[in-house]
Amino acid sequence: MCSTPPVQSEDVERFRARAAGWLAANAEQVAHDSNTAKARLTATAGMTVDDQRAEVAAAKAWQRRVFDAGFAGIAVPAEYGGQGLTAAHAAAWREEAAPYARPAGPTALGNALALPAILHHGTEAQKRRHIPPILRGDAGWCQLFSEPGAGSDLAGLTTRAEPNGDGWIVTGQKVWNSFAHLADWGLLLARTDWDVPKHRGITYLLVDMKEPGVEARPLRQATGSAEFNETFLTDVHVPADAVLGAVNGGWGVIQTTLTNERAGLTGIIGFSGIDWDAWVEHARAHGALDTAVTRDRMARMYTRWRLAGWLQQRIDDARRAGIDPGPQSSVVKLLGTIDIDLGASLGVDLQGAAGMLAGNDAVDGGAWQQLFLGQWSPRIGGGTEQIQRNVIGERILGLPPEPRTDKDRPFREVLRN
Ligand SMILES: Cc1cc2nc3c(=O)[nH]c(=O)nc-3n(C[C@H](O)[C@H](O)[C@H](O)COP(=O)(O)OP(=O)(O)OC[C@H]3O[C@@H](n4cnc5c(N)ncnc54)[C@H](O)[C@@H]3O)c2cc1C
């Protein structure tokens, strides 16, 4: 492990100053103006797999620099390559690093999803094997959870892992797997017992994406970008020591991954970086700023946008204080995504018939159309709007739960498509 040793006695504010100084000297500041945001939206349309590969390589190189400078895995124990500092130090790093470019794709998923799951549920050998490469930027990860028949109802998954000598043979199909075609490792869920209720027969596996039988095929979306995949698993050998947690105990491990995924997703307030002045200018440019209907839609959008921002702050404060915000995250995510719907539709509606154009023929190179077409990613990913409403209804408002007729039945007997 060759990262700079952490300064053990350093208090949070001294650490913050050291982090800020290093970032200012080494990191690339991201412009937060609306023109940059629009350029980013239009750039996704023409992105090729080679462009994505270059981005992944850059993200890994950046992660390596962060590691070498002693800022990777701030709250991760030193024996696994981290800095062994506190959650408050980690929060200070996140705040200082926010204005700068961040690693994306499999590098980000490794840090955000794989690392906490392995740290909490892994064996000593798994932690020593997998955490250092994540922190060094050597290994990128993807999440192989959803299936064509199991998304919101994740526990209904049917990818199977059969015991085979020294491990498992996995067969099935996954879908919507972000960056699976560029990942080195995958967090995979498979059914290992069909004779118990659905939540109790799932095992969580750490899968080498280079293993024969793993095939990730990118899916191109309406926006033109293709970072999702359908992933086919055909007789894939997974060794016994790749089980994370207990065999058939995967549902408990999943909760760590989903909690961390939701924590990342609540930060979706706003319109991909297009600021309020740019909206006002967009309405003015199309002669709509003085019409009552537009003013009403804009006022509604602005009010909800601000409310969601304040609620997000409350959640951030709770996290900083070490308090789990629980189902409040669902309120913020839902508010944020309804806002995206309101705003994305308005951005295109304001253009009238020209709203049907795309790419360079359209206003601002088609940025507003990209915002419109891309709205379903945040509205579905990390739990759909309907699922957030269920969570709010059941866990905040105390409404009666949905009938769950398959909860106590052996999965083999549950009717499926
Ligand atoms: C941006 C993004 C990134 C993603 N990344 C990954 C990834 O890396 N790995 C991965 O495995 N998956 C990933 N997914 C998949 C994601 O988890 C699923 O799309 C999501 O869970 C919804 O499942 P589904 O698409 O199968 O829709 P379904 O669950 O089939 O839902 C279809 C419709 O029915 C509604 N519905 C379903 N159940 C209920 C209910 N009980 N009550 C009311 N309405 C209901 C839904 O709200 C939705 O409108 C990603 C998705 C997106 C959009």
Side-chain angles (χ1 to χ4, degrees):
M1 226 66 43
C2 67
S3 73
T4 307
V7 184
Q8 290 297 349
S9 57
E10 197 175 26
D11 70 31
V12 175
E13 287 319 308
R14 285 175 78 107
F15 168 81
R16 181 189 291 281
R18 187 163 63 85
W22 185 81
L23 284 161
N26 293 281
E28 182 196 339
Q29 192 127 18
V30 184
H32 283 284
D33 60 284
S34 295
N35 286 337
T36 308
K38 288 182 207 162
R40 217 176 13 247
L41 279 165
T42 56
T44 52
M47 212 173 216
T48 64
V49 173
D50 282 343
D51 295 334
Q52 291 176 335
R53 249 187 220 111
E55 274 200 350
V56 170
K60 285 184 166 178
W62 172 246
Q63 179 71 29
R64 179 72 200 214
R65 288 182 68 193
V66 172
F67 176 81
D68 286 342
F71 290 111
I74 310 276
V76 174
E79 61 266 38
Y80 310 127
Q83 308 309 316
L85 296 170
T86 67
H89 290 85
W93 168 261
R94 275 197 303 278
E95 283 159 18
E96 292 306 319
Y100 298 92
R102 265 169 275 176
T107 307
L109 293 179
N111 276 284
L113 303 182
L115 193 154
I118 296 169
L119 194 57
H120 284 106
H121 302 279
T123 60
E124 192 56 28
Q126 286 171 335
K127 292 181 201 176
R128 288 188 185 274
R129 176 172 186 196
H130 290 294
I131 295 178
I134 293 172
L135 295 178
R136 279 197 307 265
D138 291 342
W141 287 71
C142 66
Q143 181 179 287
L144 304 169
F145 283 11
S146 307
E147 298 182 1
S152 302
D153 180 21
L154 184 57
L157 61 91
T158 57
T159 289
R160 55 174 66 232
E162 304 282 353
N164 179 276
D166 60 340
W168 304 86
I169 296 294
V170 178
T171 307
Q173 187 196 338
K174 299 288 174 177
V175 74
W176 310 127
N177 314 117
S178 310
F179 306 106
H181 60 308
L182 301 169
D184 305 293
W185 288 86
L187 303 169
L188 176 107
L189 300 179
R191 187 158 306 277
T192 39
D193 190 342
W194 298 69
D195 294 313
V196 292
K198 60 182 182 178
H199 293 91
R200 290 198 232 136
I202 295 172
T203 299
Y204 200 118
L205 300 165
L206 308 175
V207 175
D208 184 344
M209 295 299 283
K210 309 281 183 315
E211 196 64 39
V214 180
E215 189 193 351
R217 297 186 196 156
L219 291 164
R220 192 159 292 280
Q221 300 142 55
T223 53
S225 69
E227 75 272 14
F228 293 127
N229 295 264
E230 44 184 359
T231 306
F232 295 87
L233 303 138
T234 313
D235 297 333
V236 178
H237 176 255
V238 179
D241 63 5
V243 172
L244 188 63
V247 171
N248 294 326
W251 196 250
V253 186
I254 293 166
Q255 300 316 313
T256 305
T257 314
L258 295 184
T259 304
N260 285 296
E261 188 179 9
R262 276 195 291 264
L265 279 165
T266 52
I268 57 168
I269 310 304
F271 302 99
S272 299
I274 300 180
D275 67 24
W276 182 246
D277 289 346
W279 282 94
V280 174
E281 195 40 52
H282 186 54
R284 184 178 290 123
H286 290 88
L289 195 57
D290 293 327
T291 64
V293 171
T294 303
R295 293 177 82 85
D296 180 59
R297 286 176 76 176
M298 291 192 72
R300 201 143 51 97
M301 187 177 125
Y302 182 80
T303 312
R304 300 180 65 106
W305 184 5
R306 297 308 301 262
L307 282 173
W310 288 323
L311 274 172
Q312 173 77 60
Q313 269 179 27
R314 188 186 280 186
I315 286 184
D316 291 345
D317 286 347
R319 282 214 181 92
R320 255 193 298 275
I323 300 166
D324 176 7
Q328 277 194 62
S329 306
S330 291
V331 179
V332 177
K333 183 173 188 263
L334 183 61
L335 261 178
T337 56
I338 293 173
D339 249 1
I340 289 173
D341 174 21
L342 287 172
S345 303
L346 181 63
V348 173
D349 287 354
L350 284 170
Q351 299 174 36
M356 290 186 282
L357 298 174
N360 288 333
D361 293 332
V363 173
D364 291 332
W368 303 93
Q369 282 75 1
Q370 287 295 97
L371 187 64
F372 180 84
L373 293 171
Q375 65 178 288
W376 283 278
S377 277
R379 292 178 69 185
I380 297 171
T384 66
E385 287 169 7
Q386 290 77 12
I387 295 301
Q388 306 303 337
R389 286 181 203 276
N390 285 351
V391 172
I392 293 166
E394 292 178 21
R395 294 182 53 199
I396 299 182
L397 302 177
L399 297 175
E402 272 195 283
R404 294 184 175 98
T405 53
D406 57 358
K407 207 172 93 198
D408 299 316
R409 282 184 159 209
F411 188 69
R412 196 183 289 286
E413 293 172 11
V414 172
L415 287 178
R416 301 186 295 275
N417 288 332

